[in-house]
């Protein structure tokens, strides 16, 4: 497995311009936000991956357009897999790069229950997503992200997010398993 990735949002001040307001409005958070795509490597530390261009997107942007516009697509290696949330329905785009995308299973209208294999895979993927959420929590602990992002900061907030995310690589491991603290994220997924 190569990457675990997801998007996170930070609240912004309400802009006075209606076009900017519409761009920053997040229907999910019910507030104006700026959205960032983040990724970590499946190592024991869960190190944040460096992207070439830390682009911030308006809260109205969906996960698919953010991923296609971000440098994460350039980090993908052939014959590897990455893990994401249900909103990242990019199987075709990843397949064109020779990369496999793992997302939790969808329940369809007439489907009453998952098969045992589908349930196990969804549980494993969901459990591993804890690591990316923990990485986002660490970024939120930086003082600049504890309050609303000001409109005057929007031009630099992407670079600020990138620096804060990379600084978390110097902190302790993201999560330790009490039963076996030496287990890696990849071992948890693939059961080596």
């Amino acid at each position: 497995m190569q990457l675990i990735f997801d998007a996170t949002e930070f609240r912004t001040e309400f802009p006075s311009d209606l076009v900017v307001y519409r761009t920053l409005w997040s229907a999910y958070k019910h507030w104006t936000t700026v959205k960032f795509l983040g990724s970590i490597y499946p190592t024991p530390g869960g190190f944040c991956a460096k992207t070439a261009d830390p682009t911030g997107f308006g809260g109205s942007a969906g996960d698919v357009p953010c991923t296609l516009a971000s440098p994460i697509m350039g980090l993908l290696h052939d014959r590897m897999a990455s893990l994401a949330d249900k909103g990242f329905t990019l199987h075709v785009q990843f397949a064109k790069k020779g990369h496999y995308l793992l997302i939790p299973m969808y329940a369809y209208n007439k489907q009453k229950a998952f098969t045992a294999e589908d349930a196990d895979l969804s549980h494993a993927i969901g459990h591993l997503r804890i690591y990316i959420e923990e990485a986002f929590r660490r970024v939120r602990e930086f003082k600049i992200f504890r309050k609303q992002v000001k409109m005057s900061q929007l031009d630099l907030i992407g670079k600020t997010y990138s620096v804060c995310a990379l600084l978390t690589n110097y902190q302790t491991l993201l999560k330790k398993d009490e039963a076996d603290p030496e287990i890696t994220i990849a071992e948890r997924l693939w059961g080596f």
Side-chain angles (χ1 to χ4, degrees):
M1 185 166 59
Q2 185 188 352
L3 293 173
I4 301 172
F5 64 95
D6 200 358
T8 188
E9 295 181 69
F10 297 96
R11 282 186 169 197
T12 65
E13 291 179 333
F14 282 109
S16 57
D17 186 346
L18 289 177
V19 174
V20 176
Y21 180 85
R22 187 177 68 208
T23 303
L24 295 178
W25 178 256
S26 171
Y28 179 69
K29 297 284 186 182
H30 302 291
W31 200 270
T32 54
T33 62
V34 62
K35 181 184 279 192
F36 295 101
L37 204 61
S39 59
I40 61 172
Y41 294 109
T43 61
F47 295 112
C48 288
K50 181 180 183 331
T51 56
D53 180 29
T55 305
F57 300 94
S60 63
D63 293 337
V64 172
C66 289
T67 306
L68 293 174
S70 78
I72 284 183
M73 296 299 284
L75 295 175
L76 303 177
H77 295 296
D78 195 24
R79 287 182 247 137
M80 292 193 80
S82 289
L83 186 137
D85 197 12
K86 286 183 183 179
F88 294 89
T89 55
L90 295 160
H91 297 290
V92 173
Q93 292 86 345
F94 275 61
K96 287 179 183 176
K97 293 195 168 269
H99 199 84
Y100 188 72
L101 179 64
L102 294 167
I103 62 172
M105 302 301 290
Y106 277 102
Y108 295 101
N109 293 340
K110 299 192 180 199
Q111 185 178 8
K112 293 183 180 178
F114 290 130
T115 64
E117 292 113 15
D118 289 347
D120 289 343
L121 180 63
S122 287
H123 178 72
I125 292 170
H127 186 72
L128 287 171
R129 288 200 62 258
I130 293 169
Y131 292 94
I132 188 72
E133 297 300 335
E134 178 69 12
F136 288 147
R137 184 195 60 78
R138 287 183 171 191
V139 173
R140 288 180 189 283
E141 288 178 351
F142 284 92
K143 188 174 181 179
I144 194 165
F145 291 115
R146 288 189 201 152
K147 54 189 180 233
Q148 292 179 358
V149 176
K150 296 179 180 177
M151 289 293 115
S152 60
Q153 296 173 328
L154 282 180
D155 59 339
L156 293 175
I157 201 66
K159 293 185 188 316
T160 306
Y161 169 79
S162 180
V163 168
C164 291
L166 291 173
L167 284 173
T168 64
N169 288 343
Y170 296 101
Q171 296 177 359
T172 59
L173 300 179
L174 283 176
K175 290 274 187 191
K176 290 185 180 176
D177 189 351
E178 287 77 22
D180 187 5
E182 300 299 319
I183 194 165
T184 66
I185 299 171
E187 289 170 337
R188 183 179 302 279
L189 178 63
W190 301 114
F192 292 125

